[in-house]
Amino acid sequence: MAIHFKKLYYKNFLSTGNAGTTIYLDKTPTTLIQGTSGSGKSTIIDALCFGLFGKAFRNINKPQLVNSINQKHCEVHVEFSTNGRNYTVIRGIKPAKFDILCDDKLVTQDAAVKDYQNVLEQQILMMSFKTFTQIVILGSTAYTPFMQLTPAARREVIEDILDIGIFSTMNLLLKQKTQETKEQQILIDSNIKAQKEKADGVKRLIDVLSTKRDEELEELNREYANVQKEIDTIESQIEELKNANNALKTKTINQSVLKEEYELCTKHSIELVHENKKANTQLSLINDHSECPSCKQEISDAYKKTMEKSISKTIKELQKQLASNVELRTKKKQEIDDLQILVDQILTNTNKCVALGSNLDILQKRLLEILDSIESRTSNHHDVDELKKELKVIANDAFSMVKMKKDLAEQRQIEENASLLLRDSGIKSAIIKEYLPIINKLINKYLAELELFIEFHLNENFDEEIKSRHRDTFTYGNFSEGEKLRIDLSLLFAWRHIAKLKNSSSCNLLILDEILVGRLDQTNTDIVINMINQLAHEGTNIFAIAHHDSLQDKFRGLIQFKKEGDFSVVL
Ligand SMILES: Nc1ncnc2c1ncn2[C@@H]1O[C@H](COP(=O)(O)OP(=O)(O)OP(=O)(O)O)[C@@H](O)[C@H]1O
Ligand SMILES: [Mg+2]
């Protein structure tokens, strides 16, 4: 995108006053800018740089650019066209101003000044301050020759000229993107770690709860078995007692009969005792009486004897019966007592059964409770189920995180591949490699034209290798001022040539400040002027700044500066 500079206007800028200065930049092919020292010649370069890049060419800060007498309304306008459009950049100090007009319409300025400047440099001018000063200006003061730039600055200029700066911008953006990707990777790694720890925690909790439940179930089952065993024991005890009682009951079934028999025995005994007593009374009556106490009739001895014998026999009989009765009664009593022991045993057994029965009730109730507990623990997994659900959610999250991690790793791989292409050794290096021979060839061609017969070679790192005819290795510093100037000129011409070839960073303007007289001898001055004329012939507008008028006839146009009062003016 070639730039065609048309007009420069400035006021209250350095020594220029409120009246302002207008310089037409494309009216004459070659112009000599002349004037005494301090008359305001180099100011043109500063005005141009300030207008386009917001900073002067000479090393002073912004406030120092404002005319020290008027101290305000410092303003610079630069008019140019590129890409079929006309632009005017207006920049001011006190008040601050920065406007870009495109075909008389303001280019929207919605971002910060820095970004607006980026728009101007990267989208309209397509070159940086550094490149502009390397291809438009060659000066004696404040000018850093290409050979004195750092390798990085050299690279920046060449990238602008070869129009491959875009790869640096892309690389910068890629680096930011890679940084973001790296940060995302760190984040995702820590998220995955956190998710894993969370899952481990939930798993542990599930294990604890499951183990607890298993232990409880085991305990309950153990208790169930023990209680059931106790119940079985009690039931068999009750059964045994009942069987025992049944057996005892059959044994005691005759108790009432026995009691009746005993009663009868007792009654019989009483009767026998009574009869015995009566017989004894009769016997003593017979023995003690000789007559009958009632009828008073005499009782004969024979009768007595007969009676005595009969009664005694009766008594004997009665006593025998009584003895047998007592024996029977004692036997019955013993039998009754023996049965009573059994009856008591039945009662004891019954009581035991009742006690065991109530124990049995308690145990059966407990058994039901245990069954309930077992049932609720077996069927109710609510807590563990909830945790398992939670675990599933965590696992799903972790799954998508792992997928993201994989995607990020793939993205990193792509970024790394892109970075290989975009880094200095990538595409740019390939393009530079392609152009380096052309650049070197051009530099050597211009050096030869300027009658400096050295072999100049820029390598891929933009380090120079200079071979002189008689000495092998030479550095830029070895050369004389005039020789250095011729190297600078050769490089400048080479850059302009390449820029024109690439249709990048090329422009119609070339300003040479104080280089034609002093550092070059007459022959070289004539050669340079020839080269200038050649460039002018090809469409470049050249401005040469010089103190004195000895060169006047070599240029088509003339701008003369002068100090009027304290202000610089064009005559
Ligand atoms: N802020 C300022 N206000 C007023 N004048 C200033 C200011 N800053 C610098 N000057 C003066 O502006 C004048 C113009 O400087 P300029 O560099 O353009 O001169 P020049 O014609 O290139 O001279 P030379 O031939 O010596 O290089 C100088 O005299 C300088 O002292
Ligand atoms: Mg000057």
Side-chain angles (χ1 to χ4, degrees):
M1 257 83 35
I3 301 162
H4 186 87
F5 288 101
K6 293 177 176 171
K7 193 169 130 184
L8 172 68
Y9 165 81
Y10 50 93
K11 65 171 184 176
N12 296 311
F13 187 84
L14 297 180
S15 57
T16 308
N18 205 34
T21 296
T22 303
I23 309 285
Y24 291 94
L25 301 171
D26 63 345
K27 291 282 188 259
T28 39
T30 58
T31 309
L32 181 70
I33 299 176
Q34 206 221 315
T36 51
S37 177
S39 56
K41 305 181 293 296
S42 300
T43 303
I44 290 181
I45 299 172
D46 293 291
L48 204 55
C49 287
F50 176 68
L52 296 174
F53 300 99
K55 53 184 168 195
F57 186 58
R58 69 187 75 185
N59 197 16
I60 56 172
N61 58 30
K62 252 190 191 180
Q64 290 173 306
L65 293 173
V66 185
N67 180 262
S68 59
I69 299 163
N70 295 334
Q71 292 186 13
K72 59 182 176 186
H73 298 308
C74 167
E75 209 164 287
V76 175
H77 298 200
V78 185
E79 287 181 27
F80 60 91
S81 65
T82 182
N83 240 354
R85 290 175 187 278
N86 292 316
Y87 288 90
T88 305
V89 180
I90 303 168
R91 215 179 287 251
I93 313 171
K94 290 189 173 177
K97 200 170 186 181
F98 177 25
D99 287 334
I100 305 170
L101 300 175
C102 176
D103 293 334
D104 296 327
K105 268 194 226 118
L106 191 68
V107 175
T108 18
Q109 182 179 4
D110 47 13
V113 174
K114 191 170 168 272
D115 296 336
Y116 203 47
Q117 182 61 34
N118 284 343
V119 168
L120 180 60
E121 288 181 28
Q122 291 165 11
Q123 294 172 24
I124 301 171
L125 295 170
M126 309 297 277
M127 62 177 137
S128 65
F129 175 77
K130 216 168 277 159
T131 307
F132 179 80
T133 54
Q134 285 299 317
I135 65 169
V136 173
I137 302 156
L138 190 63
S140 53
T141 50
Y143 172 76
T144 314
F146 181 84
M147 298 311 304
Q148 282 171 9
L149 291 178
T150 60
R154 290 180 184 190
R155 171 177 283 278
E156 191 185 316
V157 172
I158 292 178
E159 282 184 3
D160 262 0
I161 291 165
L162 294 179
D163 205 14
I164 53 174
I166 183 72
F167 297 117
S168 298
T169 313
M170 281 166 73
N171 199 23
L172 205 72
L173 291 173
L174 181 71
K175 272 183 186 156
Q176 286 168 4
K177 185 81 201 57
T178 305
Q179 187 55 32
E180 278 170 28
T181 311
K182 276 184 192 165
E183 280 164 14
Q184 279 177 321
Q185 279 182 315
I186 291 169
L187 189 71
I188 205 90
D189 280 347
S190 84
N191 281 352
I192 288 172
K193 196 172 162 233
Q195 208 71 356
K196 197 181 165 301
E197 280 167 8
K198 210 167 149 189
D200 286 347
V202 174
K203 264 194 229 160
R204 271 198 299 276
L205 201 58
I206 289 174
D207 281 352
V208 167
L209 287 175
S210 303
T211 311
K212 192 172 160 242
R213 198 211 319 277
D214 289 350
E215 282 171 0
E216 280 174 356
L217 273 173
E218 210 174 294
E219 179 58 36
L220 283 166
N221 281 324
R222 213 173 10 245
E223 197 186 347
Y224 182 87
N226 287 341
V227 171
Q228 187 59 60
K229 204 169 156 192
E230 269 186 73
I231 286 174
D232 289 348
T233 310
I234 289 175
E235 276 178 349
S236 69
Q237 281 173 344
I238 289 174
E239 188 63 29
E240 268 175 37
L241 286 169
K242 276 184 181 167
N243 287 341
N245 271 6
N246 284 340
L248 287 170
K249 270 177 193 161
T250 46
K251 282 183 188 166
T252 56
I253 205 155
N254 296 327
Q255 196 188 30
S256 51
V257 178
L258 263 177
K259 274 187 180 168
E260 273 173 29
E261 285 174 355
Y262 178 75
E263 295 294 309
L264 279 175
C265 271
T266 306
K267 204 174 158 192
H268 194 207
S269 285
I270 292 166
E271 281 170 5
L272 287 173
V273 168
H274 184 69
E275 273 180 48
N276 191 39
K277 201 176 169 186
K278 205 170 129 191
N280 276 322
T281 307
Q282 274 181 335
L283 190 62
S284 32
L285 194 72
I286 285 176
N287 284 338
D288 297 347
H289 293 87
S290 52
E291 59 183 30
C292 176
S294 46
C295 67
K296 302 299 183 189
Q297 218 176 354
E298 192 191 354
I299 307 166
S300 64
D301 286 340
Y303 183 69
K304 260 191 183 180
K305 273 193 183 153
T306 309
M307 281 308 284
E308 200 180 83
K309 204 178 166 184
S310 159
I311 292 168
S312 293
K313 196 182 167 193
T314 303
I315 288 171
K316 218 173 170 179
E317 185 58 30
L318 280 171
Q319 279 176 343
K320 198 178 159 191
Q321 277 184 28
L322 193 63
S324 111
N325 192 268
V326 164
E327 195 184 337
L328 184 66
R329 189 169 164 265
T330 307
K331 196 179 158 220
K332 292 289 170 196
K333 177 77 173 95
Q334 188 57 50
E335 278 177 13
I336 287 170
D337 285 351
D338 288 349
L339 277 185
Q340 191 55 48
I341 290 168
L342 296 181
V343 168
D344 288 350
Q345 185 62 48
I346 289 172
L347 194 66
T348 310
N349 285 352
T350 310
N351 286 341
K352 272 187 190 168
C353 273
V354 171
L356 286 171
S358 65
N359 270 355
L360 198 64
D361 283 350
I362 293 168
L363 289 171
Q364 271 163 348
K365 226 166 136 191
R366 178 67 197 135
L367 202 66
L368 288 175
E369 282 172 8
I370 295 170
L371 275 177
D372 277 354
S373 299
I374 290 174
E375 165 67 17
S376 81
R377 274 167 184 72
T378 323
S379 62
N380 183 9
H381 286 197
H382 193 62
D383 44 359
V384 173
D385 287 349
E386 281 302 307
L387 287 170
K388 281 184 178 165
K389 264 189 219 161
E390 199 184 322
L391 196 63
K392 209 170 170 183
V393 172
I394 295 169
N396 278 339
D397 286 354
F399 207 68
S400 22
M401 283 177 194
V402 168
K403 193 178 171 301
M404 270 166 80
K405 185 184 159 108
K406 202 174 147 234
D407 291 349
L408 282 171
E410 276 171 17
Q411 195 175 320
R412 266 293 292 284
Q413 191 54 52
I414 292 169
E415 284 167 4
E416 262 163 37
N417 291 342
S419 159
L420 281 177
L421 293 176
L422 292 176
R423 68 180 52 164
D424 289 346
S425 56
I427 303 172
K428 285 191 295 189
S429 161
I431 296 173
I432 288 166
K433 240 187 224 167
E434 195 185 312
Y435 274 93
L436 265 179
I438 303 169
I439 292 171
N440 283 325
K441 203 170 163 192
L442 281 169
I443 295 170
N444 286 308
K445 172 180 117 73
Y446 288 119
L447 281 169
E449 278 182 35
L450 287 163
E451 296 188 337
L452 185 59
F453 299 103
I454 53 168
E455 219 181 290
F456 187 96
H457 182 81
L458 266 186
N459 67 18
E460 282 164 36
N461 299 320
F462 310 109
D463 290 325
E464 75 278 13
E465 202 178 275
I466 306 170
K467 278 186 187 161
S468 160
R469 226 178 297 168
H470 305 295
R471 276 159 286 190
D472 265 353
T473 342
F474 239 51
T475 64
Y476 181 73
N478 284 109
F479 292 97
S480 77
E481 290 310 298
E483 287 169 334
K484 277 182 191 148
L485 184 59
R486 281 184 279 161
I487 293 174
D488 295 345
L489 274 166
S490 303
L491 288 167
L492 176 100
F493 290 143
W495 301 149
R496 292 186 69 92
H497 195 122
I498 300 279
K500 211 163 184 180
L501 273 182
K502 288 287 296 174
N503 202 18
S504 68
S505 315
S506 92
C507 73
N508 63 321
L509 193 60
L510 174 59
I511 305 172
L512 307 171
D513 191 358
E514 311 280 7
I515 61 148
L516 292 179
V517 185
R519 286 163 75 191
L520 293 178
D521 61 21
Q522 192 55 52
T523 322
N524 282 321
T525 306
D526 290 342
I527 295 170
V528 173
I529 286 171
N530 275 340
M531 287 168 87
I532 284 172
N533 283 327
Q534 181 56 36
L535 277 179
H537 185 68
E538 288 161 8
T540 307
N541 298 99
I542 295 128
F543 291 81
I545 297 171
H547 283 104
H548 46 83
D549 51 12
S550 63
L551 294 167
Q552 216 160 309
D553 58 331
K554 315 260 189 215
F555 290 85
R556 304 267 292 273
L558 175 68
I559 298 173
Q560 278 187 300
F561 277 95
K562 187 183 161 212
K563 274 261 178 81
E564 251 182 30
D566 288 315
F567 298 112
S568 292
V569 291
V570 175
L571 285 178

